[in-house]
């Protein structure tokens, strides 16, 4: 019984999340021969100030990539 956690930045629509959960479930059904009831998926959204890459918070990376957006 697989448990899948998908961590992502926020901003996806409910329809996008529904499609993702459907497709991931289908992939496990095909690959492992499981019924959909056996697959649990958690979606964990992070705001831009809740994760970083290359030593910078994501919110700071967006600002430094587009300096004209600074107020």
């Amino acid at each position: 019984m697989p448990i899948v956690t998908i961590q992502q930045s926020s901003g996806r629509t409910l329809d996008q999340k529904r499609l993702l959960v459907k497709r991931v479930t289908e992939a496990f059904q095909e690959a492992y021969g499981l019924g959909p009831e056996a697959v649990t998926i958690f979606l964990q959204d992070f705001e831009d100030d809740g994760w970083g890459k290359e030593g910078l918070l994501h919110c700071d990376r967006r600002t430094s990539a587009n300096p004209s957006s600074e107020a």
Side-chain angles (χ1 to χ4, degrees):
M1 294 184 49
I3 298 173
V4 180
T5 301
I6 298 171
Q7 297 177 323
Q8 60 188 6
S9 57
S10 61
R12 277 36 176 229
T13 67
L14 190 55
D15 284 340
Q16 288 174 317
K17 291 177 181 184
R18 285 183 176 123
L19 179 59
L20 180 62
V21 167
K22 179 180 184 287
R23 298 266 176 91
V24 170
T25 300
E26 289 170 348
F28 273 96
Q29 288 179 265
E30 181 181 338
Y32 289 177
L34 300 171
E37 70 281 355
V39 182
T40 300
I41 301 170
F42 294 98
L43 300 176
Q44 185 176 17
D45 291 350
F46 291 93
E47 296 300 323
D48 287 345
D49 64 353
W51 67 282
K53 181 177 178 181
E54 297 176 0
L56 295 171
L57 288 173
H58 186 64
C59 60
D60 295 335
R61 290 174 52 83
R62 290 190 316 144
T63 301
S64 64
N66 186 6
S68 63
S69 67
E70 292 181 293

